């Protein structure tokens, strides 16, 4: 039996994926700005250990048993409260579905809506994991450029006019992955008006919204939505622990039953033990206090990295100015290839890892950008790593003069 | 936006699914022979609590961080050893991929191989969760009848002659779900010979193999396979805890990279914390001792249920004689409908839950059987529940005379 019997969605198996980047990043010789890692220091390890203990003691053996696919109601109630606090609207716990990280929520949405060749719109660039998930359903991607205040609305409407059958727009409106860009209020309103006009859903993927370092929060798309067109995805991965693999969907009420059917087919149900441990943790600790601590840590690193980029990068290289989140997006001159640079001097000489732009565009064609993460590294690594990158890029830019 | 924009795989959303059965089963008024629940009493709660504690203390904060998609090597090594002990062959840990329960392993296989309308063969009846997973890829199902010693080999070869493009056969050779039937050695050898002749993969789903109450173990398909045609799926759900959501794939070496790419797109990676806790548990406890304890508990219940069925069922009702696992399969006269009976007297009068056959056939057409689980109930519930079922079925059978 040969590889030709695989499904058509897997005809290409040689693409870079997140796990491979992660493998490079996990090599301790390198300074990794690659993966979107939280700082180990932010994990409330002792409190989580205690929460696991308490949950097991107090719930008894039944905590190790099968439970409902949607996740425990008590946790969904706490997530509704957290959503009210950070997203300006309070969903019913009945419409919250626990998922295996935000990634599974994205996959569930893809599975619910997409037949082969269906039309969807994604930001250019966008979260590479979302592309991996959607790729499974072999959609027709339309990319809309991201500006410093979010999607290019002229291009978006032109795309919708040409492809009115578009099923959804997938967007990360706050501190976007990979660019760090935040969508303006005006564009949020325009996007929702277009959703109504052209009859599509908006997938609001928002794991970073809790982490604002400057500026004023804007209303979430879900809060502005008055027609049930927004499906919100969020997660504890960036604010509590990625290893707990706990994300959620806030579903349109009509879609809840379908999403649960899909979740059940994917992996039956979430880990009740992990969810109950988080539930116990949230009963005893104010999430807002914990988030405030994280923000202090990450704000310093964000501003330091912006400062060092300004100091060390050649004039031809530009970068975004995020007000929160995990990432800064760096743009090289058009003719430069960030993938080739990574495989060349950046890794071998600089021992620095970033995520090249190629894997962050649906087209897989745009090569002259890369994503830097600042949360998973020390301030010393930011100093050293940006200096090494700066030196290499100074040399590369000088060579193309 | 209406339901018509959903993907074609989800045109039917009103089917019974496992979660709905589980909701009925979770009603404490009822005696549930429905879901395949382990007995709460078998969970080594104190030892698992201690293992979580130790893992968090000894691994430090990094246990809450992102880790590799494949799962920790130390756990995969222990699973290789467990596989050697129970499946008669020792896989390389490099070819073991941790999954979110066995369910996700089945979904990964579907995603890897299936395009819409592709041909696959399943047992009739088969595990309803596997049908849910494969349904997502909209295959063409061919059902092959299950006899008391496994697949009907004449019908299997006839099906393969008619559909030589069949991509795989999905089978549960040991203590099959839902029938409890075990495939004979001769049929195992014939199945592998047919796989070679007709060039297909065999998905060996084997969560129950550890739990044999009588008779002699037969070699696993994976152990008999000399051509890399068997993909083995197993899980800790039935022998340790379902809430830990820990299963695995033993992949054909050629397929490992692809399966990892799919796992990454589904949910990035497993819960490192849960996997490390299991790893610590397995370092300190002999799994074989734990399994021996479970077998004692379940053997008594299995034999009791068989005894009570023999005593209480009318002569027209037959049932299988499993040598292990979780389930007994009951066959009613052809004209009777187990789904209607469940919704009628069985639930309302008998307050008993079973899984009707309808949802356990790819055709969704066969109605005169149901599945009984004996592991998740007490011996008293077996006495009472089977007596109530017997009374109802005596009456129903008398009525159709």
């Amino acid at each position: 039996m040969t590889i030709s019997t695989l499904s058509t969605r897997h005809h290409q198996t040689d693409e870079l994926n997140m796990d491979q980047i992660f493998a490079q990043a996990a090599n301790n010789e390198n300074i990794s700005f690659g993966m979107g890692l939280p700082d180990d220091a932010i994990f409330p390890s002792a409190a989580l250990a205690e929460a696991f203990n308490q949950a097991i003691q107090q719930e008894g053996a039944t905590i190790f048993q099968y439970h409902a696919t949607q996740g425990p109601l008590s946790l969904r109630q706490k997530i509704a409260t957290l959503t009210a606090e950070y997203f300006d609207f309070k969903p019913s716990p009945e419409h919250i579905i626990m998922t295996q990280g935000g990634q599974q929520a994205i996959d569930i949405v893809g599975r619910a809506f997409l037949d082969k060749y269906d039309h969807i719109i994604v930001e250019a660039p966008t979260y590479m994991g979302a592309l991996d998930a959607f790729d499974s359903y072999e959609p027709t991607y339309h990319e809309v450029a991201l500006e410093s205040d979010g999607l290019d609305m002229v291009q978006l409407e032109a795309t919708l006019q040409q492809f009115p059958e578009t099923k959804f727009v997938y967007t990360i409106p706050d501190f976007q992955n990979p660019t760090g860009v935040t969508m303006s209020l005006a564009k949020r309103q325009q996007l929702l008006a277009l959703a109504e006009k052209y009859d599509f859903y908006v997938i609001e993927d928002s794991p970073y919204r809790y982490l604002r370092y400057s500026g004023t929060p804007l209303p979430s798309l879900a809060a502005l939505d008055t027609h049930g067109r927004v499906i919100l995805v969020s997660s504890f991965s960036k604010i509590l622990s990625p290893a707990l693999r706990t994300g959620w969907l806030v579903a349109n009420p009509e879609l809840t039953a379908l999403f649960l059917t899909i979740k059940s087919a994917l992996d039956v149900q979430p880990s009740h033990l992990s969810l109950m441990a988080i539930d116990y943790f949230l009963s005893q600790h104010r999430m807002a206090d914990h988030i405030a601590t994280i923000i202090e840590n990450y704000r310093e690193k964000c501003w330091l990295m912006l400062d060092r980029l300004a100091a060390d990068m050649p004039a031809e290289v530009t970068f975004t100015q995020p007000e929160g989140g995990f990432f800064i997006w760096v743009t090289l001159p058009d003719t430069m290839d960030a993938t080739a640079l990574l495989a060349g001097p950046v890794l071998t000489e600089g021992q620095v890892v970033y995520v090249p732009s190629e894997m962050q565009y649906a087209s897989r064609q745009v090569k002259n950008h890369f994503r830097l993460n600042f949360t998973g590294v020390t301030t010393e690594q930011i100093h050293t790593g940006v200096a090494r990158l700066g030196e290499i890029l100074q040399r590369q830019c000088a060579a193309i003069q």
Side-chain angles (χ1 to χ4, degrees), chain A:
Chain A
M1 178 159 285
T2 67
I3 208 84
S4 67
T5 67
L6 297 174
S7 62
T8 60
R9 72 181 68 86
H10 292 296
H11 53 284
Q12 294 178 298
T13 59
D14 56 348
E15 270 176 18
L16 270 177
N17 66 29
M18 288 195 289
D19 203 44
Q20 290 159 319
I21 293 279
F22 184 77
Q24 292 178 329
N27 176 343
N28 286 329
E29 306 279 297
N30 296 327
I31 294 176
S32 177
F33 303 132
M35 293 297 288
L37 299 192
D39 188 335
D40 283 5
I42 70 119
F43 303 135
S45 304
L48 284 171
E50 181 57 22
F52 270 92
N53 242 325
Q54 284 187 351
I56 295 172
Q57 302 308 327
Q58 292 182 32
E59 300 292 314
T62 182
I63 202 168
F64 293 107
Q65 187 56 278
Y66 284 107
H67 288 272
T69 300
Q70 192 160 3
L73 178 61
S74 54
L75 178 59
R76 287 183 284 117
Q77 286 167 333
K78 291 184 181 70
I79 288 171
T81 303
L82 184 75
T83 306
E85 202 171 346
Y86 285 91
F87 287 83
D88 320 308
F89 82 107
K90 186 160 184 173
S92 161
E94 293 307 304
H95 301 131
I96 297 174
I97 296 171
M98 303 309 301
T99 58
Q100 191 70 0
Q103 181 72 26
Q104 187 182 56
I106 298 169
D107 181 57
I108 288 172
V109 170
R111 197 178 286 223
F113 290 111
L114 299 181
D115 289 313
K116 197 168 179 172
Y117 308 131
D118 275 356
H119 297 263
I120 65 174
I121 292 176
V122 296
E123 294 167 333
T126 190
Y127 167 50
M128 55 189 166
L131 295 175
D132 288 342
F134 296 145
D135 281 355
S136 303
Y137 308 102
E138 301 174 278
T140 303
Y141 288 107
H142 302 291
E143 295 187 286
V144 172
L146 208 64
E147 302 175 312
S148 63
D149 62 348
L151 284 164
D152 177 336
M153 287 291 152
V154 175
Q155 195 190 345
L156 176 59
E157 184 149 21
T159 305
L160 289 163
Q161 280 171 342
Q162 198 180 347
F163 305 102
E165 66 273 45
T166 293
K167 287 204 163 173
F168 60 74
V169 172
Y170 169 78
T171 177
I172 306 160
D174 291 292
F175 323 128
Q176 199 245 13
N177 180 358
T179 62
V181 155
T182 293
M183 192 185 293
S184 68
L185 177 58
K187 287 193 170 179
R188 288 170 197 241
Q189 289 162 336
Q190 288 170 54
L191 174 60
L192 292 172
L194 289 173
E196 199 56 20
K197 182 171 174 190
Y198 290 94
D199 192 24
F200 59 84
Y201 279 110
V202 175
I203 317 306
E204 178 175 25
D205 186 7
S206 203
Y208 308 106
R209 184 176 165 89
Y210 314 90
L211 302 173
R212 176 174 277 280
Y213 315 136
S214 61
T216 310
L218 298 173
S220 69
L221 289 166
L224 295 170
D225 175 31
T226 51
H227 293 86
R229 295 199 170 274
V230 174
I231 297 166
L232 176 63
V233 174
S234 193
S235 162
F236 284 125
S237 291
K238 311 304 182 191
I239 54 175
L240 192 58
S241 156
L244 298 178
R245 309 302 309 123
T246 303
W248 56 89
L249 272 167
V250 182
N252 176 315
E254 288 172 36
L255 295 172
T256 305
L258 172 62
F259 288 169
L260 281 172
T261 299
I262 297 174
K263 167 68 184 172
S264 179
L266 282 168
D267 58 8
V268 186
Q269 56 190 241
S271 167
H272 187 69
L273 177 63
S274 297
L275 298 194
M276 288 308 294
I278 294 175
D279 190 47
Y280 274 72
F281 173 86
L282 293 175
S283 294
Q284 286 162 26
H285 300 86
R286 267 180 46 81
M287 199 65 198
D289 294 342
H290 180 58
I291 290 173
T293 311
I294 303 173
I295 286 175
E296 274 188 54
N297 174 331
Y298 292 172
R299 179 193 279 127
E300 182 193 352
K301 291 177 183 173
C302 180
W303 290 0
L304 174 65
M305 187 177 267
L306 289 170
D307 181 66
R308 298 324 304 158
L309 286 168
D312 295 342
M313 287 294 136
E316 300 89 333
V317 172
T318 61
F319 47 91
T320 55
Q321 301 284 335
E323 295 188 330
F326 267 45
F327 304 112
I328 297 169
W329 185 245
V330 179
T331 299
L332 305 172
D334 285 355
T335 54
M336 285 172 66
D337 177 342
T339 307
L341 278 174
L342 177 64
V346 171
L347 252 179
T348 55
E349 183 187 324
Q351 296 194 287
V352 170
V353 180
Y354 56 61
V355 181
S357 54
E358 191 176 350
M359 49 198 300
Q360 300 172 88
Y361 283 88
S363 70
R364 264 79 172 182
Q365 298 298 319
V366 182
K367 308 212 174 193
N368 66 316
H369 313 263
F370 58 83
R371 186 188 82 175
L372 294 178
N373 166 263
F374 52 80
T375 59
V377 283
T378 63
T379 52
E380 197 191 326
Q381 287 176 312
I382 293 174
H383 273 282
T384 311
V386 174
R388 289 190 203 160
L389 265 181
E391 200 180 317
I392 292 164
L393 293 175
Q394 294 280 4
R395 207 180 333 129
Q396 296 288 327
C397 287
I400 60 168
Q401 293 292 312

